Amino acid sequence: MTSIFRRASRVVGTILCLSVVAAAAAACPTAVPDRVPLGNWGGPNAGMVVSDSGAEVQYACASGRITAPLLLNSHGDFNLPGLYIRTGPGPVPVNDSLVPKFPARYTGHTDGKTMSLTMSGDSVPTQSYDLTFGGNPNVMRCL
């Protein structure tokens, strides 16, 4: 009978120990990067190439530029200035100064692997995209 109580107390002790470890792991915050990782981001209807100084964004019938480094707050969020560049169907002028550009705001969140990206502005339609680091952009260009 004593051996049954010992086994039961070991099982209960093991369960309690595992519960404490699980609770401690859940309470530990996941490391959030301090900037959006450099390189290619892609997803349905959008692609982005992040560099040290900003990013180039491609989507159907338009493109964009983020004109500041993609730094993140402690929650993985960003809110950055940029441009919305309307390209439309047909050939794109060689002289970039002829292409209409509008001030835009790029906001979003990332954990370093996935990203939600929203572009908005006074003269541009608000657009939201889900991107993956290293993912392929699936952008249908305007014809």
Side-chain angles (χ1 to χ4, degrees), residues 64-107:
R65 271 190 211 124
I66 298 175
T67 56
L70 278 72
L71 303 177
L72 303 171
N73 68 15
S74 61
H75 303 288
D77 301 322
F78 58 89
N79 185 340
L80 299 162
L83 296 171
Y84 173 80
I85 305 163
R86 192 171 293 147
T87 53
V92 177
V94 175
N95 185 346
D96 190 50
S97 67
L98 300 175
V99 178
K101 298 175 187 71
F102 303 93
R105 201 87 199 147
Y106 291 87
T107 58

Side-chain angles (χ1 to χ4, degrees), residues 2 6 12 16 25 31 34 37 39 43 46 50 60 68 80 82 90 94 97 103 113 118 131-132 138 143:
T2 309
R6 277 191 222 147
V12 170
L16 286 173
D34 61 348
V50 178
L80 299 162
V94 175
S97 67
K113 296 176 185 154
T118 299
L131 305 175
T132 303
N138 185 7
L143 301 176

